[in-house]
């Protein structure tokens, strides 16, 4: 893993991943909307990890028409692309205002498909590469508390599965990451159980190792795999009456 492109690098997980890759002396390209913030992160990485190359590129997940040009104009080709951007949104607002639903769906699914289609074509042509998509356990089954967000993540999970099936014969690996709660700005103000809430730095280290092992679908924390298995197996006649 000599170079990495992090899409959504301004997120807490994106920053943590940048540190892990930079520590391994990989070239890092930070892509996102908040360029001043990304420049600050880049400067810190260059000081913290002497000799590492760090680039900053403007990227907007929902500016679909710019994605091909963005990718073609990268200063450094990346052999690993991590798609970590997303938007949790407000479920109650989304129920009443389609603009909120649309923002959730486009930020978590449509934007990811748009840019990863471009990346996949390039990796398929080259015959190597790694794509990591950050989905969510929320996509395993629709629940009243976050079903708009969950439906977008379910779509993204299915997309990554199909991409993995398509690209494996071209020596391109696709990994789906399904985290549960992560202690980030996205869930600020929400109460999350400490035992089920991941820290960005530990998650990033886990992801780096999982890439090296060519894992396909990764739950983090691992306990979430068992929790979601149980939730998925609950009969619909019972599940629909639960408050989840």
């Amino acid at each position: 893993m000599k170079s990495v492109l992090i899409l959504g690098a301004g997120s807490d997980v994106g920053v943590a991943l940048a540190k892990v890759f930079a520590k391994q002396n990989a070239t890092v390209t930070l892509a996102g909307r908040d360029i001043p913030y990304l420049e600050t992160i880049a400067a810190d990485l260059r000081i913290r990890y002497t000799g590492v190359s760090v680039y900053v590129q403007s990227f907007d997940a929902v500016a679909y028409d710019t994605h091909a040009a963005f990718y073609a104009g990268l200063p450094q080709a990346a052999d690993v692309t991590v798609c970590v951007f997303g938007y949790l949104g407000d479920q109650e607002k989304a129920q009443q205002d389609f603009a909120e639903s649309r923002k959730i769906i486009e930020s978590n699914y449509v934007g990811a498909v748009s840019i990863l289609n471009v990346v996949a074509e390039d990796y398929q042509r080259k015959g190597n590469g790694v794509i990591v998509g950050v989905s969510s356990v929320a996509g395993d089954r629709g629940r009243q508390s976050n079903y708009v967000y969950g439906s977008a993540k379910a779509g993204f999970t299915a997309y990554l599965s199909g991409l993995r099936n398509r690209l494996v014969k071209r020596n391109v690996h696709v990994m789906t990451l399904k985290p549960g709660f992560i202690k980030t700005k996205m869930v600020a103000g929400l109460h999350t159980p400490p035992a089920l809430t991941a820290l960005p730095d530990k998650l990033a280290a886990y992801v780096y190792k999982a890439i090296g092992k060519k894992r396909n679908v990764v739950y983090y924390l691992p306990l979430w795999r068992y929790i979601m298995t149980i939730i998925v197996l609950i009969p619909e006649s019972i599940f629909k009456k639960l408050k989840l």
Side-chain angles (χ1 to χ4, degrees):
M1 294 182 279
K2 297 179 181 179
S3 58
V4 62
L5 166 63
I6 302 176
L7 301 165
S11 65
D12 294 328
V13 174
V15 172
L17 285 166
K19 291 177 181 177
V20 169
F21 276 90
K23 186 176 182 180
Q24 300 301 322
N25 202 36
T27 297
V28 178
T29 300
L30 306 173
R33 292 181 299 180
D34 191 344
I35 298 304
Y37 177 61
L38 293 181
E39 291 287 6
T40 300
I41 299 301
D44 177 73
L45 292 175
R46 295 184 190 110
I47 294 171
R48 191 186 300 263
Y49 308 105
T50 305
V52 71
S53 296
V54 185
Y55 300 97
V56 172
Q57 293 289 296
S58 178
F59 173 75
D60 187 338
V62 297
Y64 315 122
D65 291 344
T66 68
H67 289 179
F70 156 78
Y71 190 74
L74 290 175
Q76 171 71 49
D79 51 16
V80 177
T81 295
V82 183
C83 183
V84 71
F85 58 80
Y87 173 65
L88 180 60
D90 185 315
Q91 173 63 37
E92 290 192 10
K93 182 179 178 181
Q95 292 167 192
Q96 303 167 26
D97 182 357
F98 178 68
E100 178 71 357
S101 290
R102 179 173 178 170
K103 184 176 180 181
I104 293 170
I105 294 166
E106 292 191 346
S107 299
N108 293 292
Y109 179 67
V110 183
V113 171
S114 175
I115 184 59
L116 291 185
N117 276 354
V118 176
V119 177
E121 285 295 311
D122 180 47
Y123 285 1
Q124 177 173 296
R125 179 180 56 80
K126 292 177 178 176
N128 68 12
V130 176
I131 294 172
V132 179
V134 180
S135 188
S136 171
V137 298
D140 284 6
R141 191 166 191 177
R143 291 168 289 141
Q144 62 178 284
S145 59
N146 65 352
Y147 63 84
V148 177
Y149 173 80
S151 67
K153 288 300 189 181
F156 189 36
T157 294
Y159 170 82
L160 292 168
S161 178
L163 204 60
R164 182 162 47 247
N165 184 226
R166 165 195 162 192
L167 296 176
V168 64
K169 57 183 175 292
R170 295 295 299 163
N171 195 37
V172 178
H173 182 61
V174 178
M175 188 177 91
T176 304
L177 175 64
K178 292 185 176 185
F181 303 121
I182 310 174
K183 196 173 182 61
T184 65
K185 295 185 290 288
M186 183 181 283
V187 298
L190 298 178
H191 173 70
T192 59
L196 296 176
T197 304
L199 299 177
D201 289 348
K202 291 188 176 181
L203 170 60
Y206 190 88
V207 169
Y208 186 87
K209 291 179 181 178
I211 293 172
K213 295 178 181 178
K214 290 195 172 183
R215 297 279 301 278
N216 295 311
V217 180
V218 178
Y219 283 80
Y220 194 84
L221 300 161
L223 180 60
W224 278 105
R225 179 184 293 275
Y226 303 102
I227 293 172
M228 296 314 298
T229 297
I230 293 171
I231 288 176
V232 168
L233 290 175
I234 297 172
E236 190 66 21
S237 60
I238 297 174
F239 184 81
K240 68 182 182 181
K241 300 175 184 178
L242 301 177
K243 189 174 181 179
L244 295 173

